[in-house]
Amino acid sequence: MTHSIFVRRVKAVFGLFGAAMALVACSSLDRLSLAVPTVVTPYSMDIVQGNVVTSEQLAALQLGMPRAQVQSILGTPLLVSAFHAQRWDYTFTLKRQGVPPQERHVTVFFNDDKLERIDADALPSEADFVGSLRKPHDLAAPKPLEASAAALSKYPAPAVSSAPAAVLPSVNAYPPLEPAVK
């Protein structure tokens, strides 16, 4: 009888000890869970919206151009307002993880369907824009693939065979695709 009471008490002590350890573990896991977002960041895809307008495209515009010519150079405007029919807005945004977002605006104004005025942010050249699309890890120079003479000496040179090389079938050795017509 006393043995079963002793076993129950030991089980109760271990149960209380286990519960206390679980509570301690929960509080330390809570602190750990608050630290994880600063170390681990979720993947965020690149978001590109609008028209890319470069300084070369802007230089190709000339006052007095018809709308169709402006559209062939800059593309279809992102915003065409029914209330401002004489104005086209070209907006470009690029949001990428780990890189400050890019945002540019170009507004062209027309008078009697002829280009009258251009308002634009500072625009990159096409080469500068393409260069800005590289990801930070792409910018690191690749390591050269070279081995020193000491490293190569570990491996013996392949044996040169005196046997004739295998003769590969010529391209004409394939059977015809269609049966011969008789």
Side-chain angles (χ1 to χ4, degrees):
M1 252 336 210
T2 59
H3 178 66
S4 65
I5 294 174
F6 176 74
V7 170
R8 280 191 221 154
R9 285 187 181 173
V10 169
K11 286 183 181 179
V13 168
F14 278 122
L16 287 174
F17 181 73
M21 292 306 293
L23 289 174
V24 169
C26 287
S27 67
S28 64
L29 284 177
D30 185 42
R31 278 184 264 127
L32 181 64
S33 68
L34 294 175
V36 167
T38 61
V39 177
V40 178
T41 55
Y43 171 74
S44 174
M45 64 189 270
D46 297 348
I47 299 173
V48 179
Q49 293 179 313
N51 305 57
V52 175
V53 179
T54 62
S55 58
E56 291 91 352
Q57 289 173 300
L58 205 59
L61 295 178
Q62 296 175 359
L63 298 180
M65 277 185 164
R67 284 181 190 252
Q69 245 183 326
V70 171
Q71 187 171 1
S72 71
I73 293 171
L74 298 181
T76 304
L78 186 65
L79 299 171
V80 178
S81 173
F83 300 109
H84 302 100
Q86 301 301 319
R87 170 184 173 158
W88 286 353
D89 291 295
Y90 293 86
T91 302
F92 171 76
T93 58
L94 173 61
K95 295 179 184 175
R96 298 172 56 204
Q97 185 172 355
V99 178
Q102 298 180 28
E103 188 169 333
R104 293 184 204 89
H105 303 280
V106 175
T107 305
V108 292
F109 296 90
F110 297 94
N111 188 8
D112 295 329
D113 285 341
K114 303 282 183 197
L115 182 61
E116 179 183 75
R117 180 171 59 114
I118 303 167
D119 288 341
D121 295 342
L123 300 174
S125 68
E126 187 173 333
D128 291 339
F129 175 72
V130 170
S132 73
L133 294 179
R134 289 187 147 168
K135 299 201 178 199
H137 60 78
D138 292 343
L139 299 177
K143 295 180 181 178
L145 298 175
E146 296 177 357
S148 66
L152 290 175
S153 67
K154 294 179 185 176
Y155 305 101
V160 179
S161 174
S162 61
V167 177
L168 298 175
S170 70
V171 176
N172 297 333
Y174 294 111
L177 295 175
E178 298 177 5
V181 179
K182 295 183 181 179

